[in-house]
Amino acid sequence: MSEEKKTEGQKLEERLSYKRQNVWERVDEEYIKKAFDFCEEYKSFLNASKTEREFAANTEKLAIAAGFRKLEDLAASNTRLKPGDKVCFINRKKSAVLAVIGKRPVSEGVNIIGAHIDAPRLDLKQNPLYEDTEMAFFKTHYYGGIKKYQWLTIPLAIHGVVVKGDGTPVEIVIGENEDDPVFSITDLLPHLAREQMQKKMSEAVSGEGLNVLLGSLPFRDDKVKEKVKLTILDILNKRYGIVEEDFQSAELEMVPAQKFRDVGFDKSMVGGYGQDDRVCAYPALRALLDIDTPDRTAVCLLTDKEEIGSMGNTGAQSNLLQDFLANIIALTEDNYSDLKLRSCLSKSRMLSADVNAAVDPNYDSVYEKRNATYLGHGIVLQKYGGSRGKYDSSDASAEFVGEIRKLFNDNGIMWQTGELGKVDEGGGGTIAQYAANLGIDVIDCGIAVLSMHSPFEITSKIDIYMSYNAYKVFLK
Ligand code: MN
Ligand code: MN
């Protein structure tokens, strides 16, 4: 409709009302092509990064190739850093911090994008291997919030590390190559599931029922009691040199074996495992790798253990970020002091890059649609998370939300606001609160996901690319 045909009311409505917009309808063909291209790189990075260890290792490879130097080397030689220098620190192989040094002093604050690189999965127990009914199994303990039934009858791969008795680590990945075997957790046939089907979904599959099928070939020796188990131990010993006790010092994770796929006739979506929160972590990492010398030092923080409360020395509650910033200050400014670190923290800004729940029309009733997030509607700004009266939420200030809103609007970033489900329906936390506790201005800012925490999470390609651009704008 042309301007002059619009009524006064229409013009007024246009000027005053807030409208959600579908990004696909507002960007040009070239932008869409770039989004599809970006997601090809995204899919292949995630196919190779199914655990926090793999994501951290691949982060290090990308960073070193892009000219980043290791913090421990720089600190050991007291190498002075100047604007444009690139630094990375991989923490215990499971979390990472990277920075591009800016023109202004680090003690005047930095811009941080923080995401987590762990994802829900099934961890092997410490003594996992057993035989029952002439089949061998692994006992598991699930990690993070899962709906247990989703993990039955799908092909699973095993990823992780075993530290042998002499201290040498052995890395294991089985189930990703076409000729690899996969593993699986069985389910009851419907014919015999009358009782199971009457149970609540939360009780139909028990934690101790998540046992992974491994083999069925007996070792040919009648003097041996557990012949199938021995076959498995024999295979593992020949291939990796490990014995059963080595499982006690191992971290082995069962993850979905399938690769990332495009979803939909139009290929507008991406489906695969671990997108919470690697769908934010990858664009955040790429944004940092792709910027030139920023005004304020740009930082990318990739944490572990978010799905179990950000605990431990690789989680967001650790001193990882503070220690990194302290080192950066010491390598860029004279006379390091604790006050400089505190000044840096209180003047820093952070986007806590984590996912949000996209409205799923199959489950309408849990969303409050005026304040929910939508697939394809751009990056999500979530002012507060938590649940039951904003409990456990750091709640970003109006001033900081305003700052980010203006930044995005001024730079053509399409964004939406979002709250995780209806009030009192549930909720969830992110790493935002731990950054806020340090004095950092922080807001959750990530991507909408369908089927979150399932073995096959779905996201929109246009949201992924928009987020990459949003993170770049924030770091520049
Ligand atoms: Mn998350
Ligand atoms: Mn999560």
Side-chain angles (χ1 to χ4, degrees):
M1 198 184 291
S2 60
E3 259 328 286
E4 61 269 25
K5 293 261 173 64
K6 283 181 185 166
T7 65
E8 280 307 305
Q10 280 176 310
K11 284 185 209 162
L12 194 64
E13 189 183 31
E14 212 162 82
R15 191 159 60 82
L16 300 183
S17 303
Y18 169 66
K19 272 198 209 78
R20 298 185 164 280
Q21 293 189 321
N22 187 313
V23 178
W24 295 107
E25 297 183 301
R26 292 285 173 274
V27 294
D28 58 20
E29 291 292 327
E30 196 196 329
Y31 196 93
I32 291 174
K33 168 145 195 334
K34 283 183 184 164
F36 274 70
D37 290 346
F38 185 84
C39 286
E40 289 307 307
E41 294 166 35
Y42 167 65
K43 286 184 290 180
S44 67
F45 192 89
L46 259 66
N47 280 336
S49 309
K50 287 192 175 182
T51 65
E52 63 284 0
R53 283 174 185 269
E54 290 168 0
F55 199 108
N58 289 326
T59 293
E60 183 173 6
K61 272 186 219 156
L62 270 193
I64 297 296
F68 281 69
R69 287 177 290 168
K70 292 184 183 181
L71 178 70
E72 53 270 43
D73 298 342
L74 297 166
S77 57
N78 193 27
T79 304
R80 308 309 294 170
L81 297 175
K82 53 183 193 314
D85 281 350
K86 298 165 176 183
V87 189
C88 65
F89 178 64
I90 308 297
N91 175 37
R92 294 174 170 84
K93 301 177 179 165
K94 294 183 189 178
S95 53
V97 202
L98 304 94
V100 179
I101 306 300
K103 292 167 194 153
R104 284 165 55 186
V106 176
S107 56
E108 288 179 17
V110 299
N111 291 336
I112 307 162
I113 299 182
H116 65 93
I117 56 176
D118 61 318
R121 61 185 189 245
L122 307 178
D123 283 345
L124 295 201
K125 288 195 185 192
Q126 293 297 271
N127 190 23
L129 182 61
Y130 71 98
E131 175 173 337
D132 195 340
T133 322
E134 290 160 276
M135 290 180 279
F137 296 90
F138 276 148
K139 295 294 298 177
T140 66
H141 192 144
Y142 62 94
Y143 171 99
I146 62 165
K147 292 165 94 175
K148 299 185 194 85
Y149 69 85
Q150 294 177 335
W151 292 75
L152 310 183
T153 69
I154 59 169
L156 296 170
I158 183 166
H159 290 234
V161 64
V162 178
V163 177
K164 293 198 282 189
D166 65 359
T168 39
V170 186
E171 281 180 31
I172 293 180
V173 178
I174 310 168
E176 297 296 340
N177 292 326
E178 279 304 308
D179 47 355
D180 275 356
V182 293
F183 310 93
S184 195
I185 299 171
T186 55
D187 196 4
L188 199 51
L189 63 167
H191 318 61
L192 296 179
R194 192 182 53 83
E195 198 186 311
Q196 184 197 40
M197 297 295 271
Q198 305 308 313
K199 289 183 181 169
K200 288 201 291 184
M201 266 165 124
S202 59
E203 290 161 8
V205 180
S206 70
E208 292 296 349
L210 295 174
N211 303 315
V212 184
L213 180 60
L214 304 174
S216 62
L217 187 68
F219 191 90
R220 284 173 181 267
D221 185 340
D222 287 336
K223 294 272 164 56
V224 172
K225 271 198 194 131
E226 297 183 308
K227 296 176 187 172
V228 177
K229 179 178 166 182
L230 189 61
T231 301
I232 304 298
L233 282 171
D234 189 36
I235 292 169
L236 290 172
N237 186 258
K238 282 184 177 136
R239 193 150 155 198
Y240 301 106
I242 59 180
V243 297
E244 190 173 10
E245 192 183 292
D246 294 338
F247 283 119
Q248 309 279 346
S249 50
E251 284 179 349
L252 293 167
E253 309 177 8
M254 305 301 310
V255 296
Q258 78 263 26
K259 301 245 184 287
F260 267 74
R261 301 293 294 266
D262 288 338
V263 175
F265 285 115
D266 53 15
K267 299 187 174 181
S268 60
M269 296 166 283
V270 174
Y273 163 71
Q275 297 202 70
D276 174 7
D277 181 33
R278 297 173 193 140
V279 73
C280 297
Y282 179 74
L285 172 63
R286 279 289 307 275
L288 187 83
L289 296 181
D290 293 350
I291 57 162
D292 297 325
T293 307
D295 188 32
R296 280 155 65 105
T297 292
V299 176
C300 178
L301 169 70
L302 302 172
T303 73
D304 177 31
K305 297 283 186 284
E306 192 277 343
E307 296 294 355
I308 57 168
S310 293
M311 317 304 286
N313 58 11
T314 56
Q317 296 202 62
S318 74
N319 284 335
L320 173 62
L321 178 64
Q322 293 180 70
D323 291 350
F324 181 84
L325 292 173
N327 274 290
I328 298 294
I329 292 170
L331 294 175
T332 52
E333 299 179 32
D334 297 329
N335 308 318
Y336 172 83
S337 78
D338 185 50
L339 273 178
K340 284 191 173 177
L341 174 62
R342 288 165 189 251
S343 158
C344 168
L345 289 167
S346 68
K347 289 172 186 158
S348 288
R349 310 182 308 159
M350 173 164 152
L351 298 182
S352 161
D354 208 343
V355 295
N356 210 302
V359 169
D360 183 341
N362 283 325
Y363 303 95
D364 251 358
S365 65
V366 300
Y367 303 95
E368 193 272 276
K369 289 192 170 173
R370 289 179 185 82
N371 287 284
T373 62
Y374 294 81
L375 211 65
H377 283 224
I379 194 162
V380 178
L381 280 177
Q382 183 185 257
K383 186 176 181 295
Y384 51 86
S387 58
R388 296 164 287 109
K390 294 191 176 180
Y391 206 88
D392 277 337
S393 169
S394 52
D395 206 351
S397 71
E399 288 83 354
F400 188 55
V401 182
E403 199 180 312
I404 300 301
R405 171 188 164 203
K406 182 171 185 319
L407 178 76
F408 285 176
N409 284 344
D410 289 350
N411 288 280
I413 300 300
M414 294 186 66
W415 55 277
Q416 54 181 325
T417 52
E419 184 169 334
L420 191 74
K422 277 182 178 168
V423 176
D424 290 342
E425 193 64 52
T430 66
I431 64 169
Q433 55 189 313
Y434 309 116
N437 289 348
L438 299 175
I440 299 169
D441 273 318
V442 56
I443 183 169
D444 282 307
C445 181
I447 292 171
V449 179
L450 289 171
S451 304
M452 195 197 294
H453 279 210
S454 79
F456 194 74
E457 300 174 307
I458 294 173
T459 54
S460 162
K461 287 185 179 175
I462 208 75
D463 290 340
I464 295 173
Y465 188 58
M466 188 61 77
S467 300
Y468 161 71
N469 285 308
Y471 296 151
K472 256 196 340 196
V473 159
F474 176 77
L475 292 177
K476 267 202 265 217

